[in-house]
Amino acid sequence: MWLKPEEVLLKNALKLWVQERSNQYFVLQRRRGYGEEGGGGLAGLLVGTLDAVLDSTSKVAPFRILHQTPDSQVYWSIACGSSREEITEHWDWLEHNVMNTLSVFDSNEDITSFVQGKIRGLIAEEGKGSFVKEEDPEKFREGLMKFEKCFGLPEQEKLVTYYSCSYWKGRVPCQGWLYLSTNFLSFYSFLLGAEIKLIISWDEISKLEKTSNVILTESIHVRSRGEDHYFSMFLHISETFLLMEQLANYAVRRLFDKETFENDLVLHDPLQITKRGLESRAHSEQFSAFFRLPKEETLKEVHECFLWVPFSHYNTHGKMCISENYICFASQDGSLCSVIIPLREVTGVDKADPANRGVSISTKGKTAFRFTEVRDFEQLVAKLRMKCNATSSPQHIINTEVAASSASDSPKDFDAGPSKMSQRDNSKTVGTEALMTVYHPQDAENLDSKMLKEKMKEQSWNILFVERGHGVSMFRTKKTRDLVVRGIPEALRGELWLLFSGAVNDMASNPGYYTELVEKSLGTCTLATDEIERDLRRSLPEHPAFQSDTGISALRRVLTAYAYRNPQIGYCQAMNILTSVLLLYAKEEEAFWLLVAVCERMLPDYFNRRIIGALVDQAVFEELIRVHLPQLTDHMTDMTFFSSVSLSWFLTLFISVLPIESAVNVVDCFFYDGIKAILQLSLAVLEYNMEKLLTCKDDAEAVTVLNRFFDSVTNKDSPLPPAVQQGSNLSDTKSDHPKVDITDLIRESNERYGDIRYEDVESMRCRNRLYVIQTLEATTKQNVLRVVSQDVKFSPSDLEELYELFKKEHFLSCYWNVNSPVLQHHDASLPYLDQYRIDCQQFRVLYHLLSPWSHCANRDSLALWTFRLMDESSDCLINFKQFASVLDTMYNGSFTDKLKLLFKLHIPPAFTEVESLSPSKGGDLSKEELIHFSQLSVSSVGDSLESDSLKSSPEKVGKGKVDIQAYLKQWQDELLKKEENIKDLPRMNQSQFIQFSKTLYNLFHGDPEEELLYRAIAVVTSLLLKMEEVGRRLQSPTSPVKSPVAVTEVPAEIPRKGQEESSSEQTGGSRAQSLRGNHEWSFAFEQILASLLNEPAFVRFFEKPHDIKVKIESAKNLQLKARTRV
């Protein structure tokens, strides 16, 4: 590798380097101790230790080239290499391309200047693609070379960054280097001959956290496969931890949580990940989450400045954050003031008060925001003007009109029949009013005490709007939160939910989208729509709005439209309850966008098949209980109780457990504060019932306590009529629990737990996400092992190790392939056995590593035939049960079982004629050839393949209806499946028998009884052929049969030990040719079995025990290297 020229004093280097070549201008040196027997003694050990600690590849690479000029004591390092071949290549290039040119220069300075310029040009040419995004390309190149040299990972593995740190092995710190790449966390240390090399893949990490104790003031704790690793003494530990957290979560989402990852285009290509990119992504995510902006928004600029707050008459200090479509401000002086200004609302950007570097931004709401002390304010004004001109172009308005007209005037897609036309008519009646205004209009003339309080609330908000603005660009302060805690007035609830959730921005950016979606989605029939229909009348059934067709139809349209928009989620239980409440207070289109905001931003991953997001927040809740309510933690033996009892609280935002009039106040706080509000309220509920919970003897009693508490929660200020209020319908005798007002409960939760920071919650979410997903993976593994262990004889520990190797091979194909077909097949919603499956190429790698027959010359063909035998569904994928079963036969099967397996490998559907396209490779097959041969049977099935596979696997129907009858039939077939009878096996024809004989010869190669086995197979083959000839004569005595002399002599001609394999193939080919003219002959399995049983050498060979533990240990060490070679 070429290096940026640096000065080197030769007298200092001589102690560490040995000269190997030199000429007038260049010197090639070797590191002392490298390549010497015994490592070069003490000097070699010291040099190795120095290499591991120092921060320069030019000091640690075993070879380097220096540039020198006559009569100068100063040398320049210009190249280094990890191998003799690499450095020799550089040396030869210098001799052929540079040496002749240097003789034309007159002075040494000119020579040195020319060499330096040449080397810098080479480096620039090399780094055009790879390193331009890094802050220090030269230093990064050196780190990359050391990373490649130490770990030998594939070239596609992208190094993101590296840090100097200490790794604690027991109580001893080992100084070395921590490398963070797209798929691995790697550490290397070399101290006085002791080398430590650690490679942990991100997908194996179950815990990642910053810790501190007496010995380690601050360290990073990593847990992988039950082992704990500690890294400390970082220069910037927070930066390091953030990058590790991002890489781990990215790998987990990519490999385990496909539903979420498919929507994430930013990190879809792991080869494009850089440290700078990850940092900017983290800032953008934090920015869009804090201000509730669309996820697509990217943070472009951040400016420290002051914002003039007119109603308080002072400047508040904070940060102005600018993205593609928004200007946002958040104070940093404790005033909790924030502002969101969409560029679509901006009418002008001007310089204001140049002495104070001011920027004035005017909006359509006649509000002017004045920012001062803005660095580079003139450039900022120019940029914002350009952005506003681009945003205010009328193009989006035209598009809106087109979308609306096309959605309503294009009938060509809806002329399939009367039923669809009626649905289309129904879709036109998209609700334009909130259901609460239809079913509970406020009576302005008859105001009771509750209505008067409601009017006072409205007046308080109107005063706030006058002072702080009305709409998306309003000032949000502590006063705003205080009013939200008191409960938003019924008349303003829908509008403010839309505002605080950020759904108003989504709706403004997508005019006409919902109407168009309703048109497209109504009439579709999927699994999601069936579930929606089933749950429609279970959503707030006691409310009059959902006892009529108006409310039910609106609910159907919103849920169906969302399932159509986001098929990854489709429909999940609890979405109906949440959407019902949204429809009460928001118009139908607004309710749709509120649902989008909840499902896709505010409660990420809550409503997918595995409700991962909800489980993560349960783990966060448990963590907060340990911190804030230690008495409960000490009392409860199992903390999972809190997770199970509170799951519905989080999924439905307390709507399913609280009376509707109280639950809407919780929803108010949720839309303003996000998940933090739900966590705070949950803690307050537990604290309120602390004494009773501490006296509970079991979980059932604790659940009863909490249910009685929720029944007693009321909203004394609710203006809803008694017929609608759920709390008022409960009799006081039903519970002896005193009434609790929801407003007081929420206020108390804010006072006691308001110091829980949003950033801390997000950090806990990241940390617990790893734990939750690894727990789900452990459950999958336990279920798979429980099923498979019933059919194999492997020990539980060996079976578990095999599962880990199988799963690892599945992931290794996904690490460096963006569009890996295996990754596309992974689906956590499938049955446990089918969640992880491998293709033929992956199976070949495992076959080479684990099979006792992997030494065979035609092992690729055997791997191919074995894979085809297991691939019963003809989809070119096999699961772990099939994989473990065939290995079990090879290791633990009887003589008959192993022979039957070999026999089945040489008859259809497993057997296919295999011939490599490159004769120089012998029996090895390329990846393309392997995939081609594995798919041969698939192509023969033709168009019926898809329907057949769907019949055999009902779960693959996807979003269509699940055929329960097909499931029951498949289950019945599996129960009735009997032991395969050897008499049922088809006969083996002559070409298959020839290949079968070849395989046996290859299997016996290298065995201590090889010669004896060769003789035995010759005898058996001759005997079988004679038996077949006699049998044919007996069957047709009148027909003259030519005696197959050539046939009976062929086995003796099959090459003995030591002869070339090519001659064997030649003989086999000529034998097949000589037999084509004769009548076809074939053998039954019983004939072959009976003949081989008469040869003790055969029996001894196949009954010889093989230790799979040795193979497993070897495979664990070689699996990654095998993938690198492939």
Side-chain angles (χ1 to χ4, degrees):
M1 182 178 75
W2 300 109
L3 299 176
K4 183 179 176 182
E6 288 184 1
E7 282 190 25
V8 174
L9 291 178
L10 189 61
K11 61 181 181 180
N12 290 338
L14 280 174
K15 298 175 184 177
L16 304 176
W17 296 91
V18 179
Q19 184 169 306
E20 293 215 331
R21 293 192 198 179
S22 68
N23 57 36
Q24 188 178 1
Y25 297 109
F26 300 103
V27 179
L28 192 156
Q29 296 180 328
R30 172 177 55 80
R31 194 72 163 163
R32 187 178 296 279
Y34 183 83
E36 299 177 18
E37 290 187 14
L42 180 60
L45 291 178
L46 290 172
V47 172
T49 301
L50 198 62
D51 291 345
V53 175
L54 292 180
D55 179 17
S56 175
T57 305
S58 59
K59 294 171 188 158
V60 300
F63 298 96
R64 72 176 181 179
I65 296 176
L66 304 178
H67 164 61
Q68 63 175 350
T69 53
D71 307 324
S72 174
Q73 294 298 315
V74 177
Y75 287 70
W76 299 84
S77 64
I78 59 171
C80 66
S82 57
S83 65
R84 193 178 296 275
E85 292 76 19
E86 182 186 0
I87 206 69
T88 302
E89 185 182 337
H90 286 350
W91 180 267
D92 293 342
W93 188 90
L94 289 170
E95 286 192 329
H96 290 101
N97 297 281
V98 178
M99 282 294 293
N100 296 333
T101 311
L102 296 183
S103 59
V104 304
F105 293 102
D106 297 328
S107 67
N108 291 339
E109 289 78 7
D110 291 342
I111 292 173
T112 301
S113 177
F114 174 79
V115 171
Q116 290 180 353
K118 194 72 177 172
I119 300 303
R120 287 194 178 98
L122 290 171
I123 292 172
E125 192 66 28
E126 276 182 3
K128 270 185 179 177
S130 313
F131 314 113
V132 290
K133 296 179 183 177
E134 305 301 333
E135 295 174 0
D136 189 347
E138 180 62 30
K139 189 174 179 183
F140 189 79
R141 287 174 76 251
E142 296 179 1
L144 177 61
M145 181 185 171
K146 189 172 178 183
F147 172 69
E148 291 173 347
K149 172 194 163 189
C150 291
F151 303 104
L153 295 170
E155 291 181 1
Q156 303 98 314
E157 182 62 16
K158 175 80 165 58
L159 177 64
V160 177
T161 189
Y162 61 99
Y163 299 96
S164 172
C165 70
S166 290
Y167 170 64
W168 289 79
K169 196 171 183 182
R171 297 194 173 190
V172 180
C174 304
Q175 184 64 28
W177 291 90
L178 180 71
Y179 297 89
L180 307 181
S181 58
T182 48
N183 298 296
F184 299 97
L185 178 156
S186 312
F187 177 82
Y188 182 81
S189 172
F190 182 89
L191 293 171
L192 298 177
E195 184 183 54
I196 297 175
K197 191 182 292 187
L198 187 69
I199 302 178
I200 302 172
S201 55
W202 294 115
D203 56 85
E204 294 176 349
I205 293 177
S206 58
K207 184 177 252 186
L208 181 64
E209 61 181 356
K210 278 197 290 187
T211 60
S212 60
N213 55 39
V214 178
I215 301 175
L216 305 176
T217 52
E218 208 170 14
S219 64
I220 295 176
H221 172 211
V222 177
R223 178 174 293 166
S224 168
R225 292 196 176 186
E227 294 184 13
D228 293 307
H229 308 276
Y230 292 90
F231 303 91
S232 67
M233 298 178 69
F234 290 95
L235 193 60
H236 305 290
I237 191 166
S238 296
E239 173 195 293
T240 309
F241 180 73
L242 179 63
L243 281 171
M244 291 171 73
E245 201 171 52
Q246 281 184 285
L247 286 167
N249 275 286
Y250 160 67
V252 159
R253 286 169 59 197
R254 180 167 186 255
L255 300 173
F256 295 117
D257 194 10
K258 186 179 69 170
E259 297 166 311
T260 311
F261 183 80
E262 284 179 346
N263 297 326
D264 192 344
L265 302 177
V266 181
L267 290 180
H268 202 62
D269 185 356
L271 302 180
Q272 300 303 318
I273 296 176
T274 61
K275 176 185 172 185
R276 185 182 299 175
L278 285 172
E279 289 173 345
S280 64
R281 178 181 172 84
H283 294 317
S284 294
E285 286 177 346
Q286 188 177 3
F287 161 73
S288 58
F290 182 83
F291 291 106
R292 307 278 163 73
L293 302 178
K295 293 167 81 172
E296 299 76 28
E297 288 300 311
T298 304
L299 182 61
K300 298 294 185 185
E301 297 178 55
V302 178
H303 298 272
E304 281 205 33
C305 61
F306 289 87
L307 171 64
W308 174 250
V309 184
F311 49 86
S312 299
H313 304 289
Y314 80 103
N315 283 306
T316 179
H317 177 253
K319 288 185 178 180
M320 179 200 295
C321 305
I322 301 172
S323 67
E324 294 94 333
N325 301 298
Y326 297 89
I327 303 168
C328 303
F329 177 88
S331 65
Q332 294 182 298
D333 57 5
S335 63
L336 301 178
C337 177
S338 64
V339 171
I340 301 169
I341 310 171
L343 291 181
R344 63 177 182 272
E345 296 287 322
V346 175
T347 56
V349 181
D350 302 294
K351 298 177 197 172
D353 193 7
N356 291 320
R357 296 179 293 177
V359 177
S360 175
I361 299 175
S362 306
T363 63
K364 294 176 183 176
K366 305 288 175 86
T367 307
F369 298 90
R370 193 176 73 194
F371 300 90
T372 54
E373 302 300 327
V374 182
R375 184 183 296 179
D376 301 327
F377 74 104
E378 292 180 342
Q379 294 180 16
L380 180 62
V381 168
K383 286 181 190 175
L384 291 178
R385 280 177 178 170
M386 287 180 63
K387 278 178 176 284
C388 292
N389 290 336
T391 308
S392 62
S393 67
Q395 185 177 359
H396 74 281
I397 300 171
I398 296 169
N399 289 341
T400 302
E401 294 171 358
V402 171
S405 63
S406 64
S408 56
D409 299 334
S410 172
K412 63 183 178 183
D413 296 327
F414 299 93
D415 56 359
S419 62
K420 290 209 172 184
M421 286 300 292
S422 65
Q423 284 174 348
R424 184 194 170 206
D425 293 337
N426 189 28
S427 72
K428 284 185 177 180
T429 61
V430 170
T432 56
E433 286 186 285
L435 295 177
M436 196 64 80
T437 59
V438 176
Y439 287 90
H440 307 296
Q442 293 185 5
D443 189 353
E445 296 179 0
N446 301 318
L447 295 178
D448 56 12
S449 60
K450 288 185 178 181
M451 285 304 300
L452 284 172
K453 282 189 178 180
E454 187 74 4
K455 290 296 179 184
M456 289 172 63
K457 277 189 190 178
E458 287 183 31
Q459 188 61 29
S460 299
W461 277 96
N462 289 330
I463 293 170
L464 185 84
F465 292 149
V466 171
E467 285 183 355
R468 291 159 170 76
H470 193 175
V472 69
S473 300
M474 68 183 290
F475 282 88
R476 305 174 197 205
T477 61
K478 188 175 182 300
K479 176 88 176 284
T480 316
R481 172 180 272 115
D482 292 341
L483 288 178
V484 171
V485 168
R486 287 171 53 191
I488 297 175
E490 301 277 313
L492 297 174
R493 189 162 264 142
E495 175 193 342
L496 292 178
W497 281 359
L498 207 66
L499 189 67
F500 295 145
S501 66
V504 64
N505 297 314
D506 294 322
M507 196 165 79
S509 304
N510 298 278
Y513 175 81
Y514 175 68
T515 308
E516 185 179 352
L517 209 59
V518 169
E519 290 278 357
K520 290 178 180 177
S521 61
L522 277 175
T524 58
C525 184
T526 64
L527 183 61
T529 56
D530 287 350
E531 292 176 351
I532 289 169
E533 288 298 325
R534 190 171 60 245
D535 288 347
L536 281 176
R537 301 194 181 274
R538 302 177 189 171
S539 313
L540 299 186
E542 67 285 342
H543 199 286
F546 298 102
Q547 295 169 359
S548 69
D549 187 58
T550 305
I552 294 294
S553 297
L555 184 59
R556 177 188 293 111
R557 286 192 293 271
V558 173
L559 291 174
T560 306
Y562 186 79
Y564 189 87
R565 164 192 165 88
N566 192 344
Q568 277 84 13
I569 291 178
Y571 170 76
C572 178
Q573 282 189 336
M575 287 171 68
N576 61 320
I577 298 174
L578 177 61
T579 309
S580 302
V581 174
L582 298 179
L583 281 167
L584 288 177
Y585 294 98
K587 299 173 185 176
E588 191 174 314
E589 184 179 5
E590 294 173 348
F592 170 79
W593 287 113
L594 282 168
L595 184 64
V596 169
V598 171
C599 294
E600 297 176 16
R601 284 204 313 273
M602 301 186 73
L603 296 179
D605 304 339
Y606 259 61
F607 301 101
N608 58 20
R609 295 182 183 94
R610 298 194 289 176
I611 58 170
I612 288 175
L615 296 176
V616 169
D617 283 345
Q618 300 302 294
V620 172
F621 183 42
E622 284 183 25
E623 199 171 325
L624 290 172
I625 291 172
R626 291 189 190 96
V627 174
H628 296 280
L629 303 172
Q631 310 96 304
L632 271 181
T633 309
D634 297 338
H635 177 71
M636 300 298 293
T637 54
D638 185 8
M639 288 292 289
T640 56
F641 162 75
F642 296 112
S643 297
S644 57
V645 78
S646 65
L647 183 60
S648 62
W649 307 355
F650 286 80
L651 278 172
T652 65
L653 307 180
F654 282 91
I655 296 170
S656 62
V657 293
L658 285 176
I660 182 66
E661 66 275 10
S662 301
V664 290
N665 283 37
V666 178
V667 179
D668 294 343
C669 297
F670 168 74
F671 280 128
Y672 192 84
D673 272 332
I675 193 61
K676 178 174 173 284
I678 305 299
L679 290 167
Q680 289 174 182
L681 184 61
S682 301
L683 289 171
V685 167
L686 293 183
E687 187 185 16
Y688 199 95
N689 294 278
M690 175 84 74
E691 292 182 6
K692 292 184 178 180
L693 288 173
L694 290 176
T695 59
C696 291
K697 297 173 183 176
D698 55 32
D699 292 353
E701 194 176 343
V703 170
T704 304
V705 167
L706 291 173
N707 286 340
R708 285 177 178 171
F709 169 76
F710 288 130
D711 289 342
S712 69
V713 175
T714 62
N715 185 351
K716 60 177 189 252
D717 296 332
S718 173
L720 291 180
V724 175
Q725 290 193 33
Q726 296 171 349
S728 64
N729 296 334
L730 298 170
S731 62
D732 292 338
T733 58
K734 192 169 182 179
S735 171
D736 57 353
H737 207 295
K739 296 296 181 185
V740 180
D741 187 65
I742 187 65
T743 308
D744 296 336
L745 190 62
I746 291 174
R747 185 183 294 112
E748 191 173 337
S749 72
N750 265 279
E751 290 172 358
R752 288 185 174 273
Y753 306 109
D755 57 344
I756 296 174
R757 296 170 60 243
Y758 172 79
E759 294 82 357
D760 295 336
V761 171
E762 286 303 309
S763 177
M764 286 189 280
R765 272 180 160 179
C766 282
R767 184 165 63 246
N768 285 288
R769 186 182 186 83
L770 296 174
Y771 166 76
V772 166
I773 288 187
Q774 292 295 356
T775 302
L776 291 172
E777 287 300 306
T779 304
T780 299
K781 179 172 77 172
Q782 289 165 8
N783 283 284
V784 169
L785 295 180
R786 188 179 67 248
V787 171
V788 176
S789 62
Q790 299 170 7
D791 300 327
V792 299
K793 298 174 184 174
F794 289 126
S795 68
S797 59
D798 288 343
L799 195 62
E800 185 174 353
E801 294 283 9
L802 285 173
Y803 178 84
E804 293 294 347
L805 287 168
F806 182 89
K807 181 176 164 185
K808 187 71 176 176
E809 191 59 37
H810 167 93
F811 283 149
L812 284 172
S813 68
C814 309
Y815 283 167
W816 305 290
N817 188 354
V818 180
N819 299 313
S820 168
V822 179
L823 190 61
Q824 293 169 8
H825 287 294
H826 173 52
D827 189 347
S829 67
L830 292 177
Y832 290 120
L833 276 173
D834 291 333
Q835 285 186 24
Y836 292 109
R837 297 187 292 168
I838 58 174
D839 60 19
C840 193
Q841 165 65 13
Q842 296 165 299
F843 175 73
R844 174 171 66 171
V845 174
L846 290 176
Y847 185 90
H848 289 182
L849 292 173
L850 293 168
S851 171
W853 301 341
S854 58
H855 64 280
C856 189
N858 64 332
R859 61 181 185 171
D860 276 5
S861 300
L862 277 179
L864 169 66
W865 298 330
T866 307
F867 180 85
R868 286 166 60 90
L869 178 67
M870 292 184 290
D871 183 19
E872 297 172 356
S873 58
S874 299
D875 59 359
C876 298
L877 294 167
I878 62 168
N879 61 33
F880 179 69
K881 183 178 182 181
Q882 295 163 324
F883 172 76
S885 298
V886 77
L887 272 185
D888 185 60
T889 303
M890 294 177 184
Y891 278 96
N892 303 317
S894 63
F895 172 80
T896 306
D897 293 333
K898 292 177 183 176
L899 197 64
K900 184 166 67 175
L901 174 62
L902 278 172
F903 182 87
K904 289 166 74 174
L905 294 182
H906 292 82
I907 59 174
F911 181 76
T912 183
E913 292 288 348
V914 174
E915 187 177 347
S916 177
L917 299 176
S918 51
S920 60
K921 287 188 177 180
D924 293 343
L925 298 172
S926 68
K927 179 179 177 181
E928 291 73 19
E929 291 167 346
L930 195 72
I931 298 299
H932 166 71
F933 289 128
S934 71
Q935 292 174 342
L936 284 180
S937 60
V938 177
S939 60
S940 66
V941 176
D943 297 332
S944 63
L945 168 65
E946 187 177 350
S947 60
D948 290 345
S949 64
L950 289 179
K951 285 177 189 174
S952 62
S953 300
E955 66 273 10
K956 293 182 184 177
V957 174
K959 297 295 176 187
K961 291 185 179 180
V962 177
D963 190 349
I964 304 299
Q965 294 297 325
Y967 266 121
L968 292 173
K969 186 177 184 308
Q970 184 179 351
W971 183 44
Q972 186 180 27
D973 291 344
E974 289 179 1
L975 290 175
L976 296 175
K977 192 181 288 182
K978 58 178 176 28
E979 186 73 26
E980 186 178 40
N981 194 323
I982 59 175
K983 291 183 180 180
D984 298 334
L985 291 172
R987 296 174 70 86
M988 181 181 280
N989 68 29
Q990 58 191 38
S991 63
Q992 293 160 4
F993 180 73
I994 291 168
Q995 186 59 57
F996 178 74
S997 303
K998 276 188 190 179
T999 299
L1000 289 177
Y1001 272 93
N1002 290 328
L1003 278 177
F1004 300 151
H1005 181 67
D1007 191 85
E1009 295 186 324
E1010 182 176 358
E1011 195 67 36
L1012 192 60
L1013 287 163
Y1014 281 170
R1015 289 199 199 97
I1017 196 171
V1019 171
V1020 168
T1021 310
S1022 300
L1023 177 64
L1024 284 169
L1025 290 169
K1026 287 176 182 176
M1027 287 168 56
E1028 179 61 21
E1029 180 189 346
V1030 171
R1032 282 187 293 138
R1033 283 179 176 171
L1034 290 173
Q1035 286 177 4
S1036 54
T1038 56
S1039 61
V1041 178
K1042 188 176 179 182
S1043 176
V1045 180
V1047 175
T1048 57
E1049 291 176 355
V1050 162
E1053 294 171 6
I1054 294 179
R1056 303 281 180 178
K1057 178 180 177 181
Q1059 288 189 344
E1060 294 293 329
E1061 188 184 338
S1062 59
S1063 65
S1064 168
E1065 293 175 2
Q1066 214 171 8
T1067 308
S1070 62
R1071 173 170 55 184
Q1073 272 188 336
S1074 67
L1075 294 175
R1076 279 176 194 147
N1078 298 333
H1079 294 283
E1080 286 290 329
W1081 45 270
S1082 60
F1083 298 112
F1085 177 69
E1086 303 99 296
Q1087 293 174 288
I1088 296 176
L1089 176 62
S1091 303
L1092 292 179
L1093 279 171
N1094 289 326
E1095 297 295 331
F1098 272 118
V1099 179
R1100 285 196 301 272
F1101 177 83
F1102 282 107
E1103 290 190 343
K1104 188 190 306 177
H1106 295 278
D1107 187 6
I1108 196 171
K1109 291 184 187 297
V1110 177
K1111 283 279 189 181
I1112 288 174
E1113 286 304 315
S1114 172
K1116 284 160 69 176
N1117 297 325
L1118 298 175
Q1119 188 175 25
L1120 193 54
K1121 293 180 182 176
R1123 171 60 58 176
T1124 305
R1125 287 197 296 272
V1126 170

